[in-house]
Amino acid sequence: MLTVALPKGRIAKETLEIFERIFGDSFAFNDRKLILDTPNFRFLLVRNQDVATYVYHQAADIGVVGLDTLEEQGLDVIRLLDLKRGICKVAIGMRNGEKLDLNKPDIKVASKMVNITKRYFEQRAVSVEIIKLYGSIELAPLIGLADMIVDVVETGATMKQNGLEVVEDIMTSSTYLIANKNSYITKKNEILDIYEKINQVIKAEQKA
Ligand code: PRP
């Protein structure tokens, strides 16, 4: 029996569809239920930011979460497989026409991804003030809270509609299958079995 942590929303739906394809069974959470029990798997529906926490503490053996979230949180889990879904970028955005000038003093950066932001500027030896926000990041440069943002860009529509544009890409992200380190030893066969099966599905999609 493997416990699988899935993030609420599109990724959970897409992951359950992969399991349906593999096992030819129906996998769906019932209404507001947060646990889905099947003969071989127990699925947990958690917040995106909590997936790696469940896996790290072995409340789940495996999970599915974006690389951006993994990089931001830095929890020690095994990154088993890139599911080639949920592809997006973490990028620096500024108001249209503005240029990224790292020599400018007192740069203020708004982001919900403070660790990724901190690392990016530290690697360039630029000292910045990071302002932690929890959402609607694009608002910050518009009303003068920050000079720039570090945020997730998927279609680019949010930045565009708010008069912002990407001035620099920081990383590309996609959804990953992750595993708890102990589970990977004690339940190695089960984990490798589902890893192989999911990998087949992903490979078949890549070829199609
Ligand atoms: C994310 C991100 C951007 C938006 C990017 O926000 O923070 O705002 O999606 O997507 P786009 O490039 O396709 O427009 P999310 O929907 O997670 O909401 P949040 O602002 O509450 O974090």
Side-chain angles (χ1 to χ4, degrees), residues 112 134-138 151-159:
K112 59 185 164 195
Y134 291 87
S136 300
I137 318 294
E138 292 82 359
D151 201 12
V152 172
V153 183
E154 199 177 342
T155 62
T158 311
M159 279 210 194

